[in-house]
Amino acid sequence: MFSYRHAFHAGNHADVLKHTVLIATLDHLLEKEAALTVIDTHAGAGLYRLDGDYAGTSGEAAEGILRLLSDKKAAAPTAQPAPAAKSATKKAAPEAEAPLADAIARYLSVIHDFNPKGGARIYPGSPFIVQHLLRDHDKLKLFELHPTDARTLDANIAQLEAGRQIAVLREDGFGSATKFLPPPSRRALVLMDPSYEIKSDYGRVLDFAAEALKRFATGTYAVWYPIIPRPEAHDLPRRLKTLATKAGKSWLHATLTVKSSKLITTTTGETQRPGLPASGMFLINPPYTLKPLLAAALPQLVERLAQDKHAAFSLDSGG
């Protein structure tokens, strides 16, 4: 369970989706003056070098944030209001002349804040994105069990000199994070994005979400998950939808596919999986502003990040 290192995957297409959704959600929640508590159950190292050995080994950022930034249309985004969302799965039509969607422009502006000279040499993980957006009276609780990543997270967070605003805990987020629910301000966002390296992570997401809803029914809960050829991965959003519906809560489900999941044959005749083809974000109690923002952003992400003709997106909601 300690072999997964997000540094190999930082800035890939899944991070683009996750962080676009995270920023759009936070922007809405932070409009209210009351303090917000954000809990990250699997924080990772918090900050990543895309020109370092880990990211360079995988090269996944090249098909994610770096590809997005290299697009001439992304150089000087001019965001426009998003159109009304439709609950459907569809492929994006070319939008060569369309201005960059608000949610993508906002995401890129945050990445630029960490790279004022341009590009994306530094990629902020969820902890640093959240801290960058939080106000002084908000709180951030970070959980990380991986020994190396936990030490790196400690060191990275220490540089912020954020004092008691941020708590770094070397504990199992699924086993401990509910102790912060409900927060004193009765406002919280909980991000769950384990590696899913072991199959039990899928069940633990569901168990944690169910317990969290019992403790704090009005919190906003965001789950990232990989879309891979594994039954648990396809069952997870369906079971989260059932959980939210039974609890009488609204939900939103967005997915981004960049390529086919079918096995490929190399020039040497070897059969390989093509790497992560798609991922999804499922939110319980999402902001009402999120769906129209994603309805405008997802087709553009498909257009810009597609690796083959199977690239597509889906967006649905209920409750």
Side-chain angles (χ1 to χ4, degrees):
M1 66 180 295
F2 288 141
S3 63
Y4 178 85
R5 303 292 303 283
H6 190 69
F8 289 103
H9 312 287
N12 68 359
H13 62 85
D15 266 0
V16 172
L17 173 65
K18 176 171 62 179
H19 293 148
T20 297
V21 172
L22 176 62
I23 292 167
T25 300
L26 271 172
D27 280 347
H28 177 82
L29 294 176
L30 293 173
E31 288 180 359
K32 290 187 177 180
E33 179 59 27
L36 178 71
T37 295
V38 180
I39 299 170
D40 190 338
T41 62
H42 295 74
L47 205 60
Y48 305 94
R49 288 282 298 270
L50 295 187
D51 59 352
D53 292 340
Y54 294 118
T57 297
S58 68
E60 291 184 21
E63 298 294 345
I65 181 59
L66 297 180
R67 186 168 173 181
L68 203 57
L69 288 171
S70 68
D71 192 322
K72 293 180 181 179
K73 288 166 286 190
T78 303
Q80 297 291 327
K86 294 182 180 180
S87 296
T89 300
K90 53 186 178 181
K91 295 180 181 178
E95 298 182 20
E97 302 303 321
L100 208 59
D102 281 1
I104 302 175
R106 175 66 169 137
Y107 164 68
L108 292 179
S109 74
V110 171
I111 301 303
H112 176 74
D113 288 344
F114 288 87
N115 298 272
K117 294 183 180 180
R121 186 174 65 91
I122 301 296
Y123 191 84
S126 300
F128 270 71
I129 287 176
V130 172
Q131 191 280 332
H132 181 66
L133 300 178
L134 291 188
R135 304 153 304 181
D136 290 343
H137 62 294
D138 299 318
K139 301 293 184 183
L140 177 57
K141 313 295 185 183
L142 303 174
F143 289 83
E144 181 53 52
L145 266 183
H146 192 290
T148 304
D149 281 352
R151 287 193 298 272
T152 304
L153 179 63
D154 267 331
N156 286 335
I157 293 297
Q159 296 179 49
L160 296 174
E161 298 182 349
R164 298 178 64 182
Q165 182 188 42
I166 306 177
V168 178
L169 302 101
R170 296 193 185 189
E171 301 174 13
D172 177 8
F174 283 151
S176 303
T178 53
K179 66 186 176 185
F180 293 112
L181 299 174
S185 65
R186 310 292 298 187
R187 301 185 68 238
L189 167 63
V190 180
L191 174 64
M192 292 165 266
D193 59 340
S195 67
Y196 299 95
E197 190 178 31
I198 50 177
K199 290 195 294 184
S200 60
D201 278 349
Y202 296 92
R204 298 196 74 195
V205 165
L206 286 161
D207 292 342
F208 179 88
E211 177 62 24
L213 276 172
K214 288 179 183 178
R215 287 175 174 259
F216 186 44
T218 57
T220 296
Y221 300 95
V223 176
W224 175 87
Y225 71 99
I227 300 176
I228 54 178
R230 173 178 277 184
E232 295 86 355
H234 293 275
D235 287 343
L236 181 59
R238 176 182 58 79
R239 296 178 70 183
L240 285 168
K241 177 180 175 180
T242 298
L243 175 65
T245 302
K246 287 184 176 179
K249 301 300 176 183
S250 60
W251 56 270
L252 181 145
H253 183 212
T255 70
L256 175 64
T257 299
V258 298
K259 60 184 175 181
S260 171
S261 62
K262 293 183 178 179
L263 295 173
I264 56 176
T265 302
T266 67
T267 54
T268 60
E270 295 179 297
T271 300
Q272 296 180 348
R273 291 216 174 272
L276 182 66
S279 65
M281 286 290 288
F282 193 100
L283 287 89
I284 299 174
N285 293 329
Y288 72 91
T289 53
L290 186 57
K291 188 172 183 179
L293 285 171
L294 293 181
L298 287 169
Q300 293 188 358
L301 290 179
V302 169
E303 179 193 1
R304 289 158 171 79
L305 301 182
Q307 296 182 34
D308 64 27
K309 65 181 181 179
H310 299 282
F313 76 92
S314 68
L315 180 61
D316 200 6
S317 64

